[in-house]
Amino acid sequence: MGKLEVSPGQRLRSCIRNAGITESEFANLAEIDRPTLSKYLNDKRKMSENFLFKAAKLLDTNLAYLNCEIDDDSPQRVIDWLEDDTEEEITKSARAMKCGAIEKTLEALGITTEKYFYDHANNIEYLQHDNLIWYPVSDENHSGIDIMELEEIIRAHPGQCEVIIRVEYKNYVMEMDSIEYNRWLTRMVNKLELALQDTFELPYNLTPLPVPDELDSLMKKYDE
């Protein structure tokens, strides 16, 4: 008998069931709304790499298995996902994970961060409500767009879209574009690591986290 074809949506549904949770519970854990999850489960929308990575961790399975690239559902650890990556890709992944941790720490300290996407071509302003979905500010009942749809809008209207991050602490407010925000987070990571080295009297042999690629040349000038 021939092997039955399995779609990513069917595989995701099976993994959710095997994890012993409901689809609604999984949607909450994955920080996506039910309509988006429904589209994933019914193969009406391709799952992004960010979502697959998060789903694999939540369901303790393999990203490639969820994407129907392999049939082995053994959990695959982060180091396995990175083993074929270049040094540059590993550095970017490390930076993203550390910056993500810093974002959660800042939130716990009462620093609020709001991310806005401005589609000037269609005169629409979106606010990010979680890691994957952006909702129009003027219509909170809208189902929203995910990161893939956002990227399609940017490609369709080059130069007419921008992401602005608003960071607020007490009476202080900063507004930055995505490059400035990533640089700011990276500097926060480096400052925290230096403070930890002082506190625990660790040896100064850790390499500072590089800033985003666009700013490498600029930061090198200051290091000289």
Side-chain angles (χ1 to χ4, degrees), residues 4 13 29 34 100 115 146 152 156-157 179 183 194 203 217:
L4 294 176
R13 191 188 301 275
L29 291 171
R34 286 291 283 113
K115 298 181 182 181
D146 61 21
E152 288 177 3
H157 305 288
I179 293 177
R183 177 178 62 177
L194 285 173
S217 57

Side-chain angles (χ1 to χ4, degrees), residues 3-219:
K3 184 178 178 180
L4 294 176
E5 292 290 335
V6 179
S7 70
Q10 291 172 324
R11 187 153 280 180
L12 176 62
R13 191 188 301 275
S14 175
C15 287
I16 293 173
R17 187 183 305 114
N18 292 338
I21 59 176
T22 66
E23 292 175 3
S24 294
E25 288 172 332
F26 173 75
N28 289 333
L29 291 171
E31 297 179 310
I32 61 173
D33 56 25
R34 286 291 283 113
T36 298
L37 177 59
S38 178
K39 290 178 182 178
Y40 287 156
L41 294 174
N42 292 294
D43 297 297
K44 293 183 178 179
R45 178 181 297 176
K46 182 180 179 180
M47 290 179 265
S48 68
E49 286 296 319
N50 285 340
F51 172 78
L52 284 168
F53 186 88
K54 178 182 287 189
K57 290 176 65 178
L58 290 172
L59 300 171
D60 196 29
T61 187
N62 191 311
L63 183 150
Y65 174 78
L66 277 179
N67 208 25
C68 296
E69 296 171 0
I70 62 174
D71 292 326
D72 180 9
D73 64 349
S74 302
Q76 188 173 14
R77 304 308 175 195
V78 173
I79 190 64
D80 297 325
W81 285 320
L82 297 179
E83 64 181 2
D84 295 326
D85 287 349
T86 64
E87 183 176 348
E88 179 183 0
E89 290 170 332
I90 292 174
T91 298
K92 287 182 178 179
S93 297
R95 181 171 58 229
M97 286 190 288
K98 289 185 178 181
C99 287
I102 283 291
E103 280 188 303
K104 293 185 180 299
T105 301
L106 296 178
E107 182 180 346
L109 293 173
I111 299 175
T112 61
T113 302
E114 293 183 326
K115 298 181 182 181
Y116 293 89
F117 171 63
Y118 294 94
D119 177 3
H120 297 297
N122 296 308
N123 196 29
I124 302 177
E125 176 184 354
Y126 296 88
L127 173 64
Q128 188 182 44
H129 282 247
D130 53 51
N131 291 333
L132 295 171
I133 307 298
W134 301 68
Y135 296 93
V137 173
S138 59
D139 183 8
E140 295 184 355
N141 295 321
H142 192 279
S143 60
I145 59 174
D146 61 21
I147 187 66
M148 294 182 66
E149 292 169 315
L150 182 144
E151 291 173 352
E152 288 177 3
I153 294 174
I154 293 175
R155 284 195 295 269
H157 305 288
Q160 300 184 65
C161 302
E162 61 178 339
V163 175
I164 297 296
I165 296 89
R166 180 185 176 91
V167 181
E168 185 171 353
Y169 178 64
K170 296 183 177 179
N171 295 324
Y172 297 94
V173 177
M174 293 189 297
E175 286 192 351
M176 298 169 274
D177 63 26
S178 56
I179 293 177
E180 293 171 326
Y181 180 68
N182 287 334
R183 177 178 62 177
W184 180 69
L185 283 179
T186 299
R187 293 172 114 172
M188 296 286 281
V189 169
N190 289 334
K191 286 181 179 179
L192 177 59
E193 288 185 336
L194 285 173
L196 288 172
Q197 288 172 359
D198 285 335
T199 301
F200 292 97
E201 298 182 351
L202 298 174
Y204 287 81
N205 59 359
L206 297 179
T207 303
L209 197 62
V211 295
D213 299 336
E214 296 87 347
L215 297 157
D216 280 349
S217 57
L218 176 63
M219 296 304 290

